Amino acid sequence: MKEMILILDFGSQYTQLIARRVRELNVYCEIVPWNKCPEMNDSIKGVILSGSPFSVRDENAPNPNLDAIKGKFPLLGLCFGAQYLSHNFGGEVLPSTIREYGRANLTHVDQTNVLTKGMTIGSQVWMSHGDTVKSIPSNYKIIASTEDVQIAGYHIEGESTFGIQFHPEVYHSLEGAVLLKNFIVDICSCSQNWTPDSFVDSTVRDLKAKIGSDKVILGLSGGVDSSVAAVLLHKAIGENLHCIFVDNGLLRKNEYQSVLDSYKGMGLNVKGVDASEKFYAELKGLTDPELKRKAIGKVFIDVFDAESKLVTDAKWLGQGTIYPDVIESISFSGGPSQTIKSHHNVGGLPDYMMLQVVEPLRLLFKDEVRRVGKSMGIDPAILGRHPFPGPGLGIRILGEVTAEKVQILQDVDHIFISGLKEDGLYDDVWQAGAIFLPVQSVGVMGDERTYENAVALRAVSSTDGMTADWCHLPYEFLAKISNKIINQVKGINRVTYDISSKPPATIEWE
């Protein structure tokens, strides 16, 4: 990249939001752990310090060396970052006398300052901190205040260095985008030329340089991520891309053949492999979600190992890994964030497989992947598809996975998804699906008592999967779908609707 913003991550849950806001300005950025800062160069236009669960007063708090950054590059400290720039350069940070979490309003804004110009008194901002900047050095100028926080923002005179106590990256900071644009565009002088088209051009160029004339095997799932990854790789290496679509027996109803047909229609070199029995055998007796994920990942790798040997001189395995997968699977900051779940397409391959991994979408969020796909002319029907988990219905069946349960869930899911499309609700939902619950309940059908299975329907709205709200689907629609499922799917006598948001729940149940 010719220009970028560097984000030093101190473990904040909001760090990924900073990246999203920067990218929304068509500026490329990268997140790196605070203790692994790369060598500064001319391509780095500015640096942002994230928040953190630590206090700057903690003995084991992050303590970055900013000698090569502060005063030399534009620098913006957010929350912990602002406290660090005060605490370590002559100011004082103390525990807050009032817990400062949630909404606050600006009572003072220096509208002449380059960072806060365009912001207004009374504007709502989002606080999330247990410490307060009590005092700042004499060359630090206050540029923003709230009723409870006098030093809500400051500018170090003589430097393009700023500290903000609130979180402009959070949507609840209503003029946060104004502040970030002031920093990224006006202070850092970024040209805002990181667009989907530019991403395609640079990625294809990098893939050509990286792969050369080597052959790549790519697993296709029918979803947005693998589809966009396939087209990017195809643009770079053409017929040297060997796509494989594995039927793991955990796909949606009729998906195997329809996916094969759609990819062949796109001109991709694709082969279908039915390995469903291998997956069922590996899953037999497993009920723990993590063990099921690992079992599915193991068979996935075994199948690809076997298939790779049929492609002479294959050296790479392409994957559609995207940013949220990486975030949820790896402690990105090397410290406070925790692994939520493992992803079967993250973390590399066993040594015996002898394939290198290429992940052209690894640093993109889902909405960015769709925009890149649109710029390459991929069918809107593919780009508009809801996300579907790599382990498929295996993690939507709570408890042991069997072929009988899969068939039942496929029928339930088909009724639900088809209903969303028929009623014009599909595009209003970010992700939807059905979950087979490990419970049975009493019901009455006709004059007979039944004791059958229950399912839960799940539909959420989201931008990138990092957070999600449950969708307020019309009661009439839910009633109609529930009636169809109970009447048409043998073995189901109860339908529930999940009204949990992420956080504290996750989108999937396992």
Side-chain angles (χ1 to χ4, degrees):
M1 298 296 173
K2 293 183 178 179
E3 61 178 34
M4 61 172 283
I5 295 295
L6 184 68
I7 302 172
L8 294 190
D9 180 20
F10 296 102
S12 170
Q13 296 301 312
Y14 293 147
T15 302
Q16 315 310 325
L17 290 178
I18 302 172
R20 289 191 50 75
R21 300 300 166 260
V22 174
R23 292 180 182 193
E24 285 172 0
L25 293 168
N26 292 330
V27 175
Y28 180 70
C29 63
E30 288 186 5
I31 299 171
V32 297
W34 66 269
N35 55 354
K36 295 182 180 178
C37 183
E39 185 175 342
M40 301 299 291
N41 57 66
D42 292 340
S43 68
I44 299 174
K45 308 296 287 185
V47 179
I48 297 177
L49 307 180
S50 82
S52 174
F54 285 97
S55 164
V56 293
R57 297 172 296 102
D58 291 344
E59 185 177 346
N60 58 343
N63 186 24
N65 183 349
L66 300 179
D67 289 348
I69 301 174
K70 184 176 176 295
K72 301 178 178 66
F73 290 81
L75 178 62
L76 175 62
L78 303 180
C79 196
F80 175 91
Q83 294 168 3
Y84 182 87
L85 289 172
S86 174
H87 178 75
N88 288 272
F89 293 93
E92 185 179 22
V93 175
L94 298 174
S96 302
T97 55
I98 301 175
R99 288 172 61 85
E100 294 161 342
Y101 295 97
R103 295 171 178 83
N105 296 95
L106 295 177
T107 56
H108 164 70
V109 181
D110 184 348
Q111 296 173 331
T112 65
N113 189 272
V114 64
L115 183 70
T116 49
K117 66 179 182 180
M119 300 185 71
T120 55
I121 294 175
S123 180
Q124 178 180 288
V125 296
W126 188 259
M127 295 288 189
S128 182
H129 58 94
D131 288 341
T132 294
V133 179
K134 188 67 175 178
S135 65
I136 50 179
S138 59
N139 62 329
Y140 285 42
K141 178 184 178 183
I142 297 175
I143 58 175
S145 304
T146 68
E147 183 176 353
D148 295 321
V149 182
Q150 181 189 10
I151 308 173
Y154 60 76
H155 177 197
I156 301 180
E157 296 177 323
E159 298 181 15
S160 292
T161 302
F162 307 83
I164 297 296
Q165 184 60 77
F166 55 88
H167 288 271
E169 72 273 23
V170 176
Y171 281 122
H172 292 90
S173 291
L174 300 183
E175 294 178 343
V178 174
L179 184 148
L180 289 174
K181 184 178 180 181
N182 288 342
F183 180 72
I184 300 298
V185 179
D186 295 342
I187 297 172
C188 298
S189 301
C190 291
S191 58
Q192 297 182 276
N193 60 3
W194 190 67
T195 63
D197 288 342
S198 70
F199 175 83
V200 171
D201 292 342
S202 62
T203 300
V204 169
R205 182 172 60 250
D206 292 345
L207 288 171
K208 286 180 178 179
K210 183 175 185 177
I211 298 170
S213 59
D214 293 346
K215 294 179 181 178
V216 177
I217 297 174
L218 173 71
L220 290 173
S221 67
V224 177
D225 304 334
S226 65
S227 301
V228 175
V231 175
L232 277 169
L233 284 163
H234 184 71
K235 278 181 171 289
I237 62 174
E239 287 300 306
N240 278 343
L241 173 65
H242 294 257
C243 298
I244 298 170
F245 177 56
V246 176
D247 182 3
N248 59 9
L250 305 169
L251 304 173
R252 283 179 159 145
K253 188 174 183 177
N254 302 324
E255 190 170 39
Y256 180 52
Q257 192 58 51
S258 65
V259 166
L260 276 179
D261 293 342
S262 65
Y263 282 131
K264 289 177 180 177
M266 292 166 62
L268 295 176
N269 178 18
V270 59
K271 175 183 179 181
V273 180
D274 183 357
S276 54
E277 292 304 318
K278 293 181 180 179
F279 283 89
Y280 288 154
E282 194 71 26
L283 287 166
K284 187 175 181 179
L286 298 182
T287 58
D288 180 83
E290 193 66 9
L291 292 179
K292 289 196 293 183
R293 284 180 177 271
K294 291 184 182 301
I296 293 168
K298 176 182 178 300
V299 178
F300 173 83
I301 289 173
D302 289 345
V303 170
F304 267 82
D305 183 42
E307 290 299 324
S308 69
K309 293 175 180 175
L310 302 178
V311 180
T312 306
D313 297 327
K315 295 183 179 179
W316 299 84
L317 177 67
Q319 295 189 153
T321 309
I322 64 172
Y323 218 178
D325 297 338
V326 176
I327 295 164
E328 289 195 343
S329 297
I330 300 171
S331 177
F332 203 92
S333 66
S337 7
Q338 295 182 341
T339 297
I340 298 172
K341 59 189 176 185
S342 66
H343 288 261
H344 77 281
N345 61 337
V346 178
L349 301 167
D351 293 339
Y352 68 79
M353 197 164 176
M354 303 302 291
L355 289 177
Q356 300 178 76
V357 176
V358 57
E359 298 169 313
L361 309 177
R362 187 178 179 86
L363 293 179
L364 293 186
F365 292 99
K366 178 71 73 173
D367 58 320
E368 294 172 328
V369 174
R370 286 195 170 98
R371 288 198 292 271
V372 167
K374 182 179 180 180
S375 75
M376 295 190 294
I378 296 178
D379 187 345
I382 292 178
L383 295 179
R385 288 190 62 179
H386 291 172
F388 189 65
L393 300 181
I395 59 167
R396 291 184 177 175
I397 296 173
L398 275 59
E400 184 180 8
V401 176
T402 66
E404 179 185 7
K405 291 179 182 178
V406 170
Q407 183 175 348
I408 290 173
L409 191 57
Q410 284 177 333
D411 291 340
V412 171
D413 179 86
H414 181 70
I415 291 172
F416 185 30
I417 299 301
S418 298
L420 288 171
K421 292 178 178 178
E422 291 167 4
D423 283 37
L425 297 170
Y426 186 82
D427 291 337
D428 296 331
V429 174
W430 191 77
Q431 183 170 347
I435 298 91
F436 190 101
L437 303 180
V439 296
Q440 291 184 313
S441 65
V442 174
V444 177
M445 293 186 176
D447 293 327
E448 296 183 2
R449 175 182 180 275
T450 63
Y451 193 63
E452 294 183 328
N453 301 294
V455 293
L457 304 182
R458 179 80 158 137
V460 299
S461 60
S462 181
T463 301
D464 52 29
M466 299 293 295
T467 60
D469 291 324
W470 62 277
C471 289
H472 293 243
L473 297 177
Y475 289 151
E476 296 79 10
F477 169 79
L478 292 173
K480 178 177 65 175
I481 295 300
S482 174
N483 190 57
K484 278 189 176 182
I485 290 171
I486 292 172
N487 285 334
Q488 297 178 20
V489 182
K490 186 177 181 181
I492 299 296
N493 71 352
R494 191 174 299 272
V495 176
T496 66
Y497 186 58
D498 183 350
I499 58 170
S500 308
S501 295
K502 175 186 180 180
T506 53
I507 296 175
E508 298 295 340
W509 280 43
E510 290 192 340

